[in-house]
Amino acid sequence: MVSDSQASILAIVSNPFLSKCSPIILKIYSLLVSLKIRSFSIYFLWAPGYIGINGNEHVDS
């Protein structure tokens, strides 16, 4: 799974049951656990979306 949201990836791979987090994160985490039980391997990759691309930082501000 590739995402440009580092915060989302960190929220999903940490144990969301130990802290308050979004119900969506809890749902994603429980789906990942059920896939792992069935021997699926899920990998996360952070792809920095706008970093270093001229003009993109300006658009976000």
Side-chain angles (χ1 to χ4, degrees):
M1 180 177 296
V2 179
S3 175
D4 67 347
S5 175
Q6 189 177 35
S8 297
I9 291 174
L10 291 174
I12 292 168
V13 299
S14 65
N15 188 339
F17 297 106
L18 297 178
S19 63
K20 285 186 177 183
C21 67
S22 163
I24 294 170
I25 297 296
L26 291 172
K27 180 67 176 173
I28 293 169
Y29 188 82
S30 59
L31 288 170
L32 289 170
V33 168
S34 68
L35 288 171
K36 187 174 181 177
I37 290 170
R38 290 187 243 154
S39 299
F40 283 87
S41 296
I42 307 295
Y43 299 95
F44 292 91
L45 174 66
W46 173 60
Y50 291 120
I51 296 174
I53 300 174
N54 272 342
N56 284 334
E57 288 85 3
H58 177 71
V59 172
D60 284 342
S61 59

